[in-house]
Amino acid sequence: MIGTRDIGRRSFLGGTAAAGLVALHPFSARAAGNQVHLRLMETTDLHVHVFPYDYYADRPSDTVGLARTASIVDGIRAEATNSLLVDNGDFLQGNPMGDYIAYERGMKEGDVHPVIAAMNALGFDASTLGNHEFNYGLDFLMKSVAGADFPIVCANVATETGANPRADKTLLKPYVILERTLTDGAGRAHPIRIGLVGFVPPQIMNWDRKHLEGKVEARDIVRTAEAYVPEMREAGADIVIALSHSGIGPAAYTEGMENASVPLARVDGIDALMTGHSHLVFPGEKYADFEGLDAEAGTIHGKPAVMGGFWGSHLGVIDLMLEVSDSGEWQVATTLSEARPIYERGEGRSKIPLVESDAAILDSAREAHEETLAYVRRSVGRTDAPLHSYFALVADDPSVQIVSQAQLWYIGQMMRGTEWEGLPILSAAAPFKAGGRGGPEYYTDVPKGDVAIKNVADLYLYPNTVRAVEITGAQLKDWLERSAGMFNRITPGEADQPLLNPSFPSYNFDVIDGVTYEIDLSQPSKFDTQGELIDAEANRIADLRFEGRPVDPEARFVVATNNYRASGGGSFPGAMGDTVIFEGPDTNRDVIVRYIVEQGTISPGADNNWRFKAMPGTSVLFETGPRASEHLADVDSLAIEEAGEGPEGFSRYRITL
Ligand code: MN
Ligand code: MG
């Protein structure tokens, strides 16, 4: 809301700001009689993070939460004569509180979604929609939107399309023009009309096809802006701010582009851009080499822009020094952009909070928070096999299999209606928690029976997002050759040779489901631990088959994986960034939760699609966690036995090959 607020009601931790002592921003301090300092504040990609809490890990977190960002908002409002607070979308989905409301509590007519309740409490002036607002369907979205005390705009999603965007019947208002009164440097009041228009990536039509097909259409961001911004000016907007739930990406325009904020900045009549979607910070170093930007000043094609991180990590701030003529014409004179964090990095991995939580914001969502805690701790589905990773490096394994199955299920849906529909879909997954430097307790271990949300974090440690790549049969084989670097070369006929290469991280041991293969340990590794080719003639992967027939090196496959792998993480052949055909907005973890919730009971029994090639008279040793002994009987593809104590609390096992 515009206007002065009670200054210093809440203060920065350890700061000197107190009632009446807040230093005014230079724009407010030096504004002349015809000048107005207007401060625009942005949150983006909140993903239901109100409390500073990591629900997957079930512990507090200092890096997230609108309750923390809210404390910055207060300070920043206090520094400026006039301010406006907007959210840039992706507020409804993305943590267990969002899933709890959508899957368990539901939204009845008249319910206020907890993240909306928190946004109401903080006094947002407007918001737009992000792509994730569509994840739970239109009915859920519309009931959530109805609870907002502020307008929510989106120009490029239409329930009925016309000959051009202006002729569309849009799902929500395409834009809003807020009538406000701003105070100039001499204390005089000036009426102003501030136009806010919202955009979402049109890719929602693929990502949420099952919810949206036949119900809405999404239009190109830039073309929609070119249609609506002039209309807003005609309707009297003195300044226009784009709420672009779209990343800062390529400078060149392509139709339907996902990250369109740079070409969007070229649209005449837009004065400032709030951006998001990429979960990054602008201005900031990450954008140093991008065309069309000034990553230090925070401008795109000379226009002020900001991206406020994600999950409440930052508040994006754009300061506008506006000049108003005697006849009431407004012009942007000077601008500044910054992203203010809620925490800073301390020594090692520590994070130091820069603000306290705002008690009123916590209170606004406290009930849902308590209910979410109960939700993550109780079962949301069942598994009819135990999910553990004690033998994940030596045999096909249920804790990896479940990840593969969920990815397959999801990518299968995403490929429908695309040019890749009909290609075989494989799935690559690796054990993340498999001892090593994490120690003998560092294994996934979810017993047969109830599965809780907390367990999903145990199954999938990293907040990766889903990707699909298209590769050839030859690349598939090399991908597996790269994985097989996990093992030392084994001499046939010798006993008790160490199996695992200790410098090879388990997260680079991809198992690919959907094909069958053997690993011939007598052969040298084709790649070193960094992924460098060291022996072009080496062949550890043997008898690689798809649907029972040898894989043709020219055959084409889709492989479901994650953003780390698909963009070159681990240097895997076929996964160097140039084979990506699908970039999902969803985290692998979310996909696993959805899969479990939708299936009810999961059957992640390992299908033994890979095994070591038999080597008569040869045995190897490896170490795993001591609790592996409880699960020895689960492994039916290997001759495996206990072989005493290993170092540092690990247990030793012997495999007869
Ligand atoms: Mn997001
Ligand atoms: Mg398998």
Side-chain angles (χ1 to χ4, degrees):
M1 50 201 63
I2 292 227
T4 357
R5 284 180 39 123
D6 37 340
I7 287 172
R9 189 157 53 87
R10 304 164 194 118
S11 62
F12 286 99
L13 264 189
T16 52
L21 295 178
V22 173
L24 276 183
H25 184 274
F27 281 13
S28 275
R30 71 164 195 244
N34 64 334
Q35 292 184 318
V36 167
H37 175 208
L38 173 60
R39 172 160 262 192
L40 310 172
M41 297 177 284
E42 174 210 62
T43 55
T44 188
D45 297 271
L46 287 172
H47 290 280
V48 213
H49 289 84
V50 178
F51 273 65
Y53 203 84
D54 178 344
Y55 295 100
Y56 282 113
D58 200 3
R59 62 166 176 253
S61 164
D62 285 323
T63 64
V64 307
L66 183 63
R68 295 287 171 89
T69 339
S71 296
I72 302 189
V73 168
D74 275 341
I76 290 206
R77 275 175 175 156
E79 293 164 3
T81 312
N82 313 283
S83 63
L84 196 75
L85 174 63
V86 298
D87 181 78
N88 218 42
D90 274 8
F91 46 81
L92 275 187
Q93 182 277 348
N95 79 358
M97 187 189 281
D99 281 350
Y100 165 68
I101 300 295
Y103 297 142
E104 292 278 315
R105 208 186 80 179
M107 285 290 295
K108 293 185 299 296
E109 217 69 57
D111 283 352
V112 179
H113 192 286
V115 77
I116 298 284
M119 292 164 83
N120 286 342
L122 186 52
F124 276 82
D125 291 279
S127 173
T128 188
L129 299 179
N131 49 295
H132 283 286
E133 264 64 77
F134 297 90
N135 288 166
Y136 301 126
L138 289 175
D139 183 56
F140 184 88
L141 168 59
M142 295 312 278
K143 282 181 184 148
S144 302
V145 162
D149 293 345
F150 47 89
I152 302 182
V153 295
C154 181
N156 66 326
V157 177
T159 52
E160 278 172 45
T161 50
N164 59 67
R166 284 170 71 158
D168 287 354
K169 191 162 177 258
T170 49
L171 179 70
L172 300 180
K173 273 182 271 198
Y175 60 86
V176 66
I177 296 176
L178 303 177
E179 303 205 357
R180 294 290 196 263
T181 302
L182 305 186
T183 305
D184 73 12
R188 277 198 311 257
H190 299 270
I192 187 171
R193 281 177 289 204
I194 302 169
L196 299 159
V197 57
F199 306 100
V200 69
Q203 282 70 16
I204 58 168
M205 297 309 299
N206 303 331
W207 297 335
D208 278 303
R209 179 188 306 274
K210 66 180 172 186
H211 293 307
L212 302 183
E213 198 164 37
K215 294 176 183 150
V216 294
E217 295 283 345
R219 282 196 188 262
D220 179 75
I221 291 173
V222 174
R223 295 289 173 247
T224 306
E226 286 168 346
Y228 277 112
V229 173
E231 181 177 308
M232 294 167 74
R233 292 286 180 175
E234 289 158 27
D238 294 307
I239 61 169
V240 170
I241 300 157
L243 308 184
S244 170
H245 186 89
S246 178
I248 297 171
Y253 166 78
T254 46
E255 203 196 325
M257 66 197 296
E258 176 184 348
N259 296 304
S261 293
V262 180
L264 182 63
R266 298 196 92 117
V267 174
D268 270 351
I270 292 177
D271 294 297
L273 295 95
M274 302 303 198
T275 73
H277 185 56
S278 309
H279 293 201
L280 294 173
V281 175
F282 184 81
E285 295 156 15
K286 282 258 161 104
Y287 287 107
D289 299 326
F290 279 56
E291 196 187 330
L293 323 180
D294 184 331
E296 237 173 276
T299 57
I300 307 178
H301 292 307
K303 292 178 183 174
V306 80
M307 190 187 299
F310 64 106
W311 300 358
S313 68
H314 293 72
L315 186 76
V317 182
I318 293 176
D319 287 293
L320 299 177
M321 185 69 112
L322 303 173
E323 285 176 1
V324 57
S325 72
D326 290 341
S327 55
E329 312 252 301
W330 292 84
Q331 205 173 316
V332 178
T334 322
T335 72
L336 282 172
S337 304
E338 68 172 311
R340 286 207 199 175
I342 63 168
Y343 69 96
E344 62 187 6
R345 284 175 202 285
E347 274 179 41
R349 291 180 162 190
S350 70
K351 310 275 167 38
I352 301 161
L354 296 170
V355 279
E356 301 174 318
S357 291
D358 179 321
I361 303 304
L362 293 179
D363 286 345
S364 69
R366 189 175 303 279
E367 193 183 310
H369 171 68
E370 301 292 344
E371 290 168 4
T372 303
L373 292 178
Y375 173 68
V376 298
R377 293 166 186 168
R378 75 166 185 259
S379 91
V380 290
R382 290 181 59 78
T383 171
D384 60 17
L387 300 165
H388 60 81
S389 63
Y390 294 110
F391 300 104
L393 299 178
V394 300
D396 198 31
D397 171 276
S399 74
V400 175
Q401 190 79 31
I402 176 68
V403 173
S404 253
Q405 281 178 3
Q407 289 177 173
L408 267 180
W409 169 80
Y410 175 86
I411 291 297
Q413 297 172 54
M414 294 300 131
M415 290 297 110
R416 247 182 275 146
T418 72
E419 62 179 291
W420 297 279
E421 183 172 18
L423 279 189
I425 304 174
L426 313 177
S427 187
F432 292 151
K433 287 179 77 177
R437 289 188 193 123
E441 306 297 324
Y442 193 67
Y443 290 86
T444 300
D445 192 349
V446 179
K448 172 177 165 171
D450 294 339
V451 180
I453 303 286
K454 281 180 71 165
N455 299 139
V456 175
D458 205 32
L459 289 168
Y460 206 97
L461 210 55
Y462 304 109
N464 291 335
T465 50
V466 185
R467 294 281 186 277
V469 295
E470 186 202 322
I471 61 169
T472 63
Q475 287 171 315
L476 170 65
K477 178 170 175 295
D478 271 351
W479 188 318
L480 292 168
E481 293 285 356
R482 167 79 180 98
S483 277
M486 180 79 236
F487 308 107
N488 296 323
R489 188 175 183 180
I490 300 303
T491 309
E494 285 186 12
D496 290 354
Q497 304 170 67
L499 176 64
L500 303 176
N501 176 349
S503 60
F504 192 102
S506 71
Y507 59 76
N508 277 341
F509 182 58
D510 270 1
V511 167
I512 297 188
D513 261 294
V515 287
T516 57
Y517 54 98
E518 292 191 331
I519 297 177
D520 184 349
L521 296 170
S522 71
Q523 299 301 305
S525 183
K526 187 164 182 174
F527 299 93
D528 71 7
T529 53
Q530 302 303 309
E532 290 292 324
L533 180 70
I534 44 172
D535 187 345
E537 304 305 311
N539 286 296
R540 279 188 167 178
I541 301 303
D543 205 21
L544 175 61
R545 290 171 183 267
F546 172 70
E547 291 183 338
R549 283 186 297 276
V551 167
D552 176 353
E554 315 260 288
R556 294 160 65 218
F557 296 93
V558 170
V559 182
T561 178
N562 60 55
N563 60 313
Y564 168 77
R565 179 70 74 240
S567 60
S571 290
F572 276 62
M576 297 304 292
D578 54 345
T579 53
V580 176
I581 56 163
F582 174 81
E583 299 194 14
D586 296 299
T587 63
N588 299 62
R589 219 145 58 176
D590 282 342
V591 166
I592 296 167
V593 171
R594 265 186 236 171
Y595 179 69
I596 295 172
V597 169
E598 290 200 17
Q599 305 288 307
T601 295
I602 51 168
S603 303
D607 59 2
N608 295 326
N609 67 302
W610 72 274
R611 63 183 71 223
F612 296 125
K613 192 170 181 182
M615 220 186 289
T618 312
S619 65
V620 293
L621 297 174
F622 73 99
E623 274 89 44
T624 183
R627 293 182 61 190
S629 61
E630 296 161 31
H631 298 287
L632 194 51
D634 300 344
V635 187
D636 53 10
S637 64
L638 270 185
I640 190 167
E641 60 185 352
E642 297 190 53
E645 306 255 307
E648 292 162 28
F650 283 94
S651 296
R652 185 165 285 151
Y653 283 82
R654 176 180 297 109
I655 299 169
T656 304
L657 291 169

